[in-house]
Amino acid sequence: MDLIRISILILFLIFCYFYLVRCFILVIQPQKKRIVYFLVLVFMFLLNTGFWGSRYFRWQGHLPNYFYYLEWLSYTCLGLMLFLLICFFIADLFFILNKMIYFFKRKSFLEQEIKKNKIHSSRRSFLHMISVGCASILSGIAFYNARKTPEVKKVFVPILNLHPDLKDFNIVQLTDFHIGQTIGLSYVHSVIERVNSLNPDIIVITGDLVDGFVHQIKDWVTPLSTLKAKYGIFYVTGNHEYYWDAAGWIQFMQSIGCVYLGNSNKTIPIGNANVVIAGLTDLSAVKFNENEKTDYIKSTENASVKSDLKILLAHQPNSAFEAAKLNFYDLQISGHTHGGQMWPMTWMIHFIQYFRPGLTLHEKMWVYVSRGTGYWGPPSRLGSDSEITHILFKQV
């Protein structure tokens, strides 16, 4: 399966190269096509450096120090390429629709087309020039959205017969932080400051915390030990931890004071109420370690069904399909999808993922899907802002 995906990706990149060449030739001059072929080739090489280089060094078990700067350059180029493809495609679509209208309006289409070929070429070139400008502007906006400190998103979860001692109980969720690559210490500190200002009872970290090895980026993750929560910080793994030595990250997170909940739970007394916080290993964990397979039944062991509030931490929202069958949990807190991160994926994600960003009732269990605290790949967010989720509960 991995080989099939890589093959499809390579074919897509080849298509992108020739499509960008063709579009830029229209923007510049056909006489300079050799320069265009070369410059686009350099551009494609740079944007591929981050992704393929990171896969190679991951196998080696160490990322060179200089690679951090290459990742910045590579993923920034990747974001620009995606916007260029979108804008060029819209320009071509507009041009094709225009020609179709022209065809149906004029019977002598072929004769007129020959005469007006130069005019059409000029219009097409103009549209692609506008596309380059639009792509640059969108890239700038998306970069700003990705790099700013995430806003706090308040979410009120309705709970039937909510215990009076839980009326002020609140949880802060961090997920899909992706520390490493282009997210470093300054971004981490800004998130910590905002989280601590909320005075949460519990902080939950629902996976994809990192993109790097413990021995290389632990200094960027260590400040999470300064997060303040009255009843503790709870952590589960996402699929990305398994790319970068999940066992090492689990041990490290425990060393800085986080409680790891891999197919396990903990009961927390809050006044006269009891709250169960449980967690699952990521759905993809079994591919890396058979002992890490998601175990829904095990996550409920020794937890009382009579507890006043039962919360499940699961990186992927699709865990809810099996979790809901237990008829045990009141709420599942997840991430993973990033809400699509960038338009038009913010629309397409609805066809790929059953659970949309936000709060959804699935059978008798609420499922909250965060858009993520950071981002992955391009430092770009458009149409799906990062968030620090502040979850509160209300009586129904």
Side-chain angles (χ1 to χ4, degrees):
M1 183 61 73
D2 198 39
L3 183 61
I4 294 173
R5 289 176 180 173
I6 290 174
S7 300
I8 293 172
L9 180 57
I10 290 173
L11 288 173
F12 173 71
L13 291 169
I14 292 171
F15 163 78
C16 290
Y17 171 72
F18 286 106
Y19 184 64
L20 288 175
V21 165
R22 169 244 183 214
C23 292
F24 275 112
I25 286 175
L26 287 172
V27 172
I28 308 175
Q29 296 177 9
Q31 294 83 357
K32 296 182 179 179
K33 62 171 61 177
R34 289 186 179 180
I35 296 174
V36 173
Y37 271 98
F38 174 74
L39 291 177
V40 175
L41 183 64
V42 171
F43 178 73
M44 293 296 291
F45 174 78
L46 288 175
L47 71 85
N48 275 278
T49 302
F51 178 78
W52 298 108
S54 123
R55 286 181 73 93
Y56 171 76
F57 290 123
R58 207 162 70 202
W59 295 331
Q60 301 298 311
H62 182 81
L63 288 169
N65 292 331
Y66 67 80
F67 193 69
Y68 174 74
Y69 302 101
L70 285 176
E71 283 181 313
W72 258 108
L73 179 61
S74 174
Y75 285 119
T76 301
C77 288
L78 177 58
L80 177 59
M81 184 198 76
L82 294 173
F83 284 117
L84 283 169
L85 290 174
I86 292 166
C87 292
F88 281 147
F89 176 77
I90 292 172
D92 282 337
L93 188 62
F94 179 81
F95 184 77
I96 292 169
L97 290 173
N98 186 52
K99 292 188 81 171
M100 288 176 65
I101 294 169
Y102 182 76
F103 172 77
F104 287 113
K105 280 187 175 181
R106 296 178 180 271
K107 295 181 180 179
S108 56
F109 172 74
L110 293 176
E111 294 178 9
Q112 294 292 334
E113 186 68 14
I114 294 170
K115 292 178 182 179
K116 294 183 176 290
N117 187 49
K118 291 184 179 180
I119 297 175
H120 285 314
S121 178
S122 176
R123 287 176 180 174
R124 203 167 196 175
S125 176
F126 178 69
L127 280 174
H128 282 77
M129 285 178 67
I130 292 175
S131 298
V132 173
C134 289
S136 301
I137 292 170
L138 289 173
S139 295
I141 295 171
F143 181 85
Y144 170 78
N145 288 341
R147 295 300 301 172
K148 69 181 181 181
T149 304
E151 295 295 327
V152 175
K153 182 176 181 181
K154 282 190 180 292
V155 178
F156 292 89
V157 181
I159 300 294
L160 187 65
N161 300 321
L162 181 69
H163 195 286
D165 289 350
L166 298 177
K167 65 178 183 178
D168 296 321
F169 178 67
N170 68 98
I171 299 172
V172 168
Q173 178 199 16
L174 302 177
T175 190
D176 299 274
F177 215 141
H178 293 284
I179 300 170
Q181 293 183 344
T182 61
I183 292 183
L185 203 55
S186 61
Y187 192 94
V188 173
H189 278 303
S190 67
V191 169
I192 291 170
E193 184 179 355
R194 187 153 290 182
V195 170
N196 285 341
S197 69
L198 299 173
N199 298 314
D201 290 316
I202 286 174
I203 295 173
V204 298
I205 302 173
T206 53
D208 278 11
L209 176 66
V210 294
D211 268 303
F213 293 111
V214 176
H215 66 277
Q216 291 190 288
I217 63 170
K218 63 181 180 181
D219 289 344
W220 295 352
V221 184
T222 298
L224 294 180
S225 62
T226 63
L227 286 169
K228 298 175 183 177
K230 188 173 181 181
Y231 299 103
I233 304 169
F234 300 88
Y235 168 67
V236 293
T237 53
N239 52 304
H240 277 247
E241 275 86 350
Y242 292 93
Y243 303 151
W244 305 99
D245 180 23
W249 278 114
I250 291 168
Q251 185 178 2
F252 178 81
M253 293 302 290
Q254 289 173 323
S255 74
I256 63 171
C258 296
V259 178
Y260 172 63
L261 295 174
N263 300 327
S264 62
N265 65 78
K266 184 179 174 90
T267 300
I268 305 167
I270 299 175
N272 293 317
N274 285 321
V275 176
V276 172
I277 302 288
L280 297 171
T281 55
D282 186 68
L283 289 175
S284 67
V286 67
K287 298 177 184 178
F288 301 88
N289 185 343
E290 290 185 1
N291 295 326
E292 289 284 300
K293 182 179 180 181
T294 305
D295 192 330
Y296 300 90
I297 300 296
K298 192 176 178 181
S299 73
T300 65
E301 284 183 359
N302 301 318
S304 174
V305 72
K306 295 182 180 180
S307 296
D308 300 286
L309 184 62
K310 300 174 284 294
I311 298 168
L312 176 65
L313 311 181
H315 177 64
Q316 297 194 40
N318 285 349
S319 297
F321 292 126
E322 292 298 321
K325 293 177 182 178
L326 300 175
N327 197 26
F328 181 81
Y329 295 109
D330 299 302
L331 169 68
Q332 176 179 304
I333 305 176
S334 300
H336 185 61
T337 70
H338 295 213
Q341 189 164 315
M342 294 167 56
W343 184 88
M345 276 303 297
T346 52
W347 290 354
M348 295 171 65
I349 196 71
H350 301 316
F351 300 100
I352 302 170
Q353 294 285 338
Y354 176 82
F355 293 98
R356 298 189 175 193
L359 193 64
T360 304
L361 182 63
H362 179 64
E363 296 184 15
K364 296 180 181 180
M365 182 180 76
W366 289 103
V367 180
Y368 182 77
V369 182
S370 167
R371 290 176 172 82
T373 309
Y375 55 85
W376 180 83
S380 303
R381 271 195 178 269
L382 192 66
S384 178
D385 288 346
S386 301
E387 65 178 71
I388 295 168
T389 315
H390 193 197
I391 300 173
L392 303 99
F393 301 88
K394 62 180 181 181
Q395 167 71 37
V396 291

